[in-house]
Amino acid sequence: MTGEEERRRPVGLGLRAWVTTKLVRRVLRFLAWTRIVRVTVHDRAVVPVRGPVLVASNHISMLDAIFLWGALRRRAMAVAMAELWTWPVVGVLVRGLGHIPVIRRDPESGRAALDQAEWVLRHGGMLIIYPEGRCVRPGEVEPYKPGVAKLAFSTGVPIIPVGTTGTDDVLPLRGADGGGRFDRTRPVTIRFGAPIDPAGFDSPEELLTHLRERIEALRG
């Protein structure tokens, strides 16, 4: 990053992103309160109210980011697939909220996304990341990408593990049973786990293995 980039605050920590976050989350909370969608959140209090933090979750539906982002109580930026930036309405939101695009299977894009993610953390922000790097269908196993562990090691920032269940019932992936059909009656559960301090591990690989175990336990 250049000196100018290091001085400039991330878009997601600006006033416009704060206002947008407040408005969108009010809508999401109303939907949850009215039981239009059935969402249960456990142990949200473990998430620090200030300071840099990584939030890492499993990824089973295109709705995961909406439910997880909506469950948080402070501004958060996410590393997300670059295709979202081309979608009507969604593209405007992800830009305004300061989310970070990444092109899948593009190493250069991945490095650029990690640079931006580190910039967010060094400015005291919260970052959501999905270590699997893509939505995973039932019965499939996707290796965790090392980015989240490398970020934690390079910055010393803790990781909050999250287990998400039920989003793949509300909106299954295309090609799965009921793929693409929205079913608001299915319950969603988001469970936050205690922070993981990277200082307690000898290597990013060891941290990544532990993170996966924690997320799987939260899902179970």
Side-chain angles (χ1 to χ4, degrees):
M1 293 184 294
T2 67
E4 180 182 355
E5 287 175 324
E6 290 176 343
R7 289 190 297 271
R8 192 173 69 246
R9 284 172 62 81
V11 170
L13 296 178
L15 178 60
R16 181 175 298 180
W18 180 82
V19 172
T20 303
T21 298
K22 288 288 187 181
L23 291 174
V24 176
R25 283 199 178 136
R26 282 183 182 274
V27 173
L28 294 176
R29 289 172 196 167
F30 174 78
L31 294 176
W33 178 75
T34 57
R35 307 297 284 180
I36 290 175
V37 289
R38 300 166 58 191
V39 186
T40 303
V41 179
H42 294 278
D43 302 322
R44 179 169 39 214
V46 303
V47 181
V49 297
R50 62 181 60 85
V53 64
L54 284 156
V55 176
S57 177
N58 60 301
H59 202 6
I60 53 178
S61 170
M62 293 295 290
L63 294 179
D64 290 335
I66 297 174
F67 282 104
L68 177 53
W69 183 84
L72 294 166
R73 290 297 181 262
R74 54 178 284 197
R75 279 178 289 180
M77 284 145 277
V79 178
M81 62 179 190
E83 292 92 328
L84 295 179
W85 274 250
T86 67
W87 293 7
V89 182
V90 174
V92 175
L93 279 175
V94 294
R95 286 187 182 89
L97 293 170
H99 294 330
I100 300 169
V102 62
I103 301 171
R104 288 173 290 186
R105 294 181 292 277
D106 184 323
E108 185 175 344
S109 176
R111 286 190 293 270
L114 286 180
D115 285 344
Q116 292 182 63
E118 184 171 337
W119 177 33
V120 167
L121 296 173
R122 293 196 183 281
H123 279 80
M126 174 185 285
L127 185 80
I128 298 171
I129 192 165
Y130 294 95
E132 290 158 314
R134 67 174 181 89
C135 290
V136 180
R137 300 178 187 279
E140 292 184 349
V141 177
E142 180 72 17
Y144 274 25
K145 307 298 186 290
V148 63
K150 290 181 177 179
L151 280 172
F153 255 71
S154 65
T155 61
V157 169
I159 303 173
I160 302 291
V162 180
T164 299
T165 58
T167 52
D168 54 342
D169 292 325
V170 176
L171 185 65
L173 296 173
R174 294 191 180 279
D177 290 343
R181 296 179 182 176
F182 185 82
D183 183 355
R184 69 175 184 82
T185 67
R186 306 301 291 271
V188 171
T189 301
I190 298 172
R191 192 179 301 274
F192 292 91
I196 301 172
D197 185 352
F201 299 86
D202 294 329
S203 67
E205 293 76 18
E206 183 183 350
L207 172 58
L208 200 65
T209 297
H210 180 74
L211 174 62
R212 179 159 210 151
E213 292 171 352
R214 289 284 302 281
I215 289 176
E216 291 302 314
L218 290 165
R219 293 180 65 184

